[in-house]
């Protein structure tokens, strides 16, 4: 199974974290690709150019590729040294991608998702800028996940802590965190908001919780 890597940043991240999974690198022009890579990602410039063929590229950066979807890595569901982000039934592929991007940046151990959204859908990969390749990203059933459960919810406790091996459960856009997670929760962490604001976006809330811990 493969996924399109649309644009320079997605290709760059995939080449940096999992070069063996990147195929079919296409660039609109070698000189333009070399200039872009040298200025934004000198570490992958040679890799990019060595793999590239020149052809039609739709993306405005003039770079695209194809990524193999890695084998499912479920080890992170039971053992980890950094929090696992668990998105409970996310609806928006863009939100899910943005969560993967910040989870990778903040050093989370992985991103798991319940519900029907395919975490490797092309639109999710577009939203993560290819950072799917920096950490395990997988669909799960709630029963597969173990460890301290920290639910992220605006009605929780602003002083709750996030242990290093926690499962940080982030709710869906419309209905928040499901009751099965609230029943299993060891803590419910709230991010304080000004009066009148009802919630943060999923990726913003995930970012605040992960960076608060760091
Ligand atoms: C857009 S919000 C969901 C809003 C939803 N209407 C609800 O009832 O919770 C998506 C998720 O982001 C997290 N979140 C958003 N704002 C938060 C806050 N201030 N404190 C803690 N978690 C928050 C929660 O996990 C929430 O379920």
């Amino acid at each position: 199974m493969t996924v399109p890597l649309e644009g320079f940043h997605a290709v760059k991240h995939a080449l940096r974290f999992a070069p063996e999974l990147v195929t079919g690198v296409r660039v609109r022009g070698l000189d333009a690709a070399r200039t872009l890579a040298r200025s934004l990602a000198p570490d992958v410039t040679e890799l990019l150019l060595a793999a590239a063929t020149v052809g039609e590229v739709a993306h405005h950066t003039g770079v695209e590729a194809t990524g193999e979807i890695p084998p499912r890595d479920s080890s992170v569901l039971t053992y980890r040294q950094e929090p696992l982000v668990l998105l409970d039934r996310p609806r928006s592929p863009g939100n899910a991608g943005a969560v993967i991007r910040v989870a990778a940046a903040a050093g989370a151990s992985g991103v798991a998702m319940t519900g029907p959204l395919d975490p490797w859908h092309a639109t999710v990969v577009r939203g993560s800028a290819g950072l799917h390749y920096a950490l395990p990203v997988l669909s799960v059933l709630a029963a597969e996940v173990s460890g301290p459960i920290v639910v992220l919810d605006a009605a929780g406790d602003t002083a709750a802590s996030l242990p290093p091996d926690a499962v940080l459960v982030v709710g869906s856009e419309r209905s928040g965190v499901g009751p099965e997670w609230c029943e299993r929760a060891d803590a419910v962490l709230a991010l304080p908001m000004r009066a009148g604001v009802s919630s943060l976006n999923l990726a913003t809330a995930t970012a605040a919780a992960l960076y608060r811990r760091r």
Side-chain angles (χ1 to χ4, degrees):
M1 293 275 285
T2 61
V3 67
L5 298 171
E6 301 165 309
F8 177 77
H9 295 289
V11 175
K12 167 193 74 180
H13 282 137
L15 283 173
R16 193 173 277 156
F17 290 104
E20 71 285 3
L21 298 178
V22 181
T23 58
V25 179
R26 287 173 303 283
V27 300
R28 198 176 296 136
L30 279 173
D31 288 344
R34 185 181 296 108
T35 303
L36 190 63
R38 280 187 178 157
S39 72
L40 297 179
D43 58 310
V44 298
T45 303
E46 291 313 317
L47 211 49
L48 177 80
L49 294 174
T53 58
V54 177
E56 267 189 37
V57 175
H59 196 268
H60 65 89
T61 58
V63 180
E64 60 190 25
T66 302
E68 294 277 337
I69 298 177
R72 186 177 189 268
D73 178 3
S74 59
S75 63
V76 76
L77 303 181
T78 50
Y79 175 77
R80 58 200 158 259
Q81 294 182 316
E82 292 292 333
L84 170 71
V85 175
L86 187 136
L87 292 181
D88 186 23
R89 297 160 295 124
R91 297 169 66 99
S92 154
N95 280 342
V99 167
I100 293 164
R101 187 172 186 169
V102 74
S109 65
V111 178
M113 297 188 201
T114 63
L117 180 64
D118 173 6
W120 282 87
H121 187 280
T123 315
V124 184
V125 176
R126 186 183 302 148
S128 82
L131 282 164
H132 277 66
Y133 289 95
L135 72 180
V137 174
L138 64 169
S139 274
V140 293
L141 299 173
E144 292 179 273
V145 179
S146 60
I149 306 288
V150 177
V151 161
L152 198 54
D153 189 285
D157 175 3
T158 57
S161 62
L162 184 63
D165 59 343
V167 180
L168 177 66
V169 184
V170 184
S172 76
E173 293 84 347
R174 191 168 295 175
S175 53
V177 176
E180 67 276 28
W181 292 108
C182 297
E183 282 159 21
R184 285 177 63 182
D186 295 291
V188 181
L189 171 62
L191 301 161
M193 296 182 292
R194 176 182 168 181
V197 178
S198 48
S199 71
L200 297 164
N201 163 276
L202 271 71
T204 310
T206 304
L210 292 176
Y211 279 106
R212 172 182 178 270
R213 175 178 170 275
R214 278 175 77 100

